[in-house]
C-alpha cells in the first residue's frame, strides 16, 4: 500500500525556517517524480515544487523561488522541503504527492503538515 | 487569480448529472494532460481523473473527464450526497515551467 507521511510543520515566526519531510513507503520511491502542494486555510490548492527521480531537475512556483528548496534521499525513501524566510502568506497545509512525470499530477497524496507563520 | 479558471460553485440534486469546467490556455491545457481531484472536507485531495479522461482503479465510472482545445470538463452522473466536495483541475504549464491548479469548485448536492 502506497503511503506518504508528512512531518515537520509547526508554528514559526516571520523570517524563520522549517524543514518539512515526507516519508514514502509501499512503492519504489526512486522511480517517481515527487511534488509539494500547499493549501492556505480556506483556500485552494497551490503547487509549490517538483523534483525528478534522481534530483537532477527541480521546479518551483515563482513565489517561493530563492526561499524554498526541494530535495530527496532515495536511500531513505524521503522527500524534503526546506522553507526559509517564511512569510505570513506561506501559512498552509503542505502536502507531498507522488507523480509519474514532470507534467503529470499526483496520484497519491499524504495527509499534510500544517505550517503556521505568525509572531 | 488562478491560472486555470473554474466556477466557484456548482450544485445538483441526487441522480442528476453535473459538469464542472476548467479553462486554460495553449501553454497548459492546450498542450498537456489535465488532472482532476476531489477533496472532501478536512481530507487530502484524491485523484479522480488523469490524462484528461482516465480513471484510477476504484473511482466509479460516474466520474468522467474530457478535454477540447484549451478547456476541460469533469462530469459527474448519478449524483450522490457523498459527492459533495471541492473539485480541482490541474495541468502542467510549459511557459511557467510549473504545475497550475484551478481555483476549485465547491459542489453542493441539494
Amino acid at each position: 500500500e502506497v503511503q506518504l507521511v508528512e512531518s515537520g510543520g509547526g508554528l514559526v515566526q516571520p523570517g524563520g525556517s522549517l524543514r518539512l519531510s515526507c516519508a514514502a513507503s509501499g512503492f519504489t520511491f526512486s522511480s517517481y517524480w515527487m511534488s509539494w502542494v500547499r493549501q492556505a486555510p480556506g483556500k485552494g490548492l497551490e503547487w509549490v515544487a517538483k523534483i525528478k527521480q534522481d534530483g537532477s531537475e527541480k521546479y518551483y512556483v515563482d513565489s517561493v523561488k530563492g526561499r524554498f528548496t526541494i530535495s530527496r534521499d532515495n536511500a531513505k525513501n524521503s522527500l524534503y522541503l526546506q522553507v526559509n524566510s517564511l512569510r505570513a502568506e506561506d501559512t498552509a497545509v503542505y502536502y507531498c504527492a507522488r507523480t509519474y512525470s514532470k507534467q503529470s499530477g499526483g496520484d497519491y497524496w499524504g495527509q499534510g503538515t500544517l505550517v503556521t507563520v505568525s509572531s | 487569480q488562478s491560472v486555470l479558471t473554474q466556477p466557484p460553485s456548482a450544485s445538483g440534486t441526487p441522480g442528476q448529472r453535473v459538469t464542472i469546467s476548467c479553462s486554460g490556455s495553449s501553454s497548459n491545457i492546450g498542450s498537456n494532460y489535465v488532472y482532476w481531484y476531489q477533496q472532501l472536507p478536512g481530507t487530502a485531495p484524491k485523484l479522480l481523473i488523469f490524462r484528461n479522461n482516465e480513471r484510477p482503479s476504484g473511482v466509479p465510472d460516474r466520474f468522467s473527464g474530457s478535454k477540447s482545445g484549451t478547456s476541460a470538463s469533469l462530469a459527474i452522473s448519478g449524483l450522490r450526497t457523498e459527492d459533495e466536495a471541492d473539485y480541482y483541475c490541474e495541468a502542467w504549464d510549459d511557459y511557467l515551467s510549473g504545475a497550475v491548479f484551478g481555483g476549485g469548485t465547491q459542489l453542493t448536492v441539494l
Side-chain angles (χ1 to χ4, degrees):
Chain A
E1 179 195 3
V2 173
Q3 284 200 333
L4 297 168
V5 180
E6 300 93 336
S7 60
L11 174 63
V12 60
Q13 291 187 337
S17 299
L18 283 174
R19 189 196 198 202
L20 308 183
S21 299
C22 171
S25 61
F27 66 100
T28 304
F29 180 71
S30 59
S31 296
Y32 290 85
W33 286 71
M34 296 295 295
S35 282
W36 286 100
V37 176
R38 67 184 179 182
Q39 186 170 35
K43 303 296 184 182
L45 301 174
E46 180 185 35
W47 172 79
V48 174
K50 183 172 278 191
I51 186 168
K52 193 177 180 180
Q53 291 95 327
D54 61 359
S56 61
E57 291 183 38
K58 302 176 184 181
Y59 300 89
Y60 300 92
V61 67
D62 281 350
S63 60
V64 309
K65 283 179 182 175
R67 300 188 300 123
F68 290 12
T69 302
I70 189 172
S71 63
R72 64 191 297 161
D73 186 335
N74 288 340
K76 294 184 177 179
N77 291 334
S78 292
L79 174 72
Y80 305 103
L81 187 68
Q82 178 69 40
V83 296
N84 299 331
S85 304
L86 282 164
R87 307 165 181 167
E89 54 265 36
D90 295 317
T91 294
V93 174
Y94 285 73
Y95 297 101
C96 65
R98 187 183 84 165
T99 72
Y100 281 102
S101 71
K102 181 178 79 173
Q103 295 92 344
S104 68
D107 63 343
Y108 284 93
W109 297 59
Q111 84 292 345
T113 187
L114 176 62
V115 172
T116 303
V117 184
S118 175
S119 54
Chain B
Q1 246 110 338
S2 301
V3 174
L4 304 182
T5 301
Q6 296 180 237
S9 63
S11 64
T13 56
Q16 270 191 331
R17 181 179 188 271
V18 298
T19 61
I20 296 171
S21 62
C22 176
S23 177
S25 68
S26 58
S27 64
N28 42 65
I29 293 178
S31 51
N32 291 291
Y33 289 122
V34 178
Y35 296 77
W36 288 92
Y37 304 93
Q38 177 192 61
Q39 187 176 34
L40 298 170
T43 69
K46 170 191 170 185
L47 180 66
L48 266 188
I49 298 289
F50 65 101
R51 294 181 196 164
N52 302 333
N53 55 19
E54 299 188 54
R55 281 185 311 277
S57 65
V59 173
D61 58 7
R62 301 187 296 107
F63 295 90
S64 62
S66 63
K67 181 182 119 170
S68 178
T70 59
S71 292
S73 291
L74 172 71
I76 310 171
S77 60
L79 205 57
R80 297 185 178 186
T81 54
E82 58 260 38
D83 297 334
E84 197 161 276
D86 293 327
Y87 293 84
Y88 295 90
C89 58
E90 180 197 3
W92 183 261
D93 191 296
D94 293 329
Y95 177 74
L96 296 174
S97 287
V100 290
F101 281 94
T105 298
Q106 185 175 54
L107 175 65
T108 302
V109 181
L110 304 167

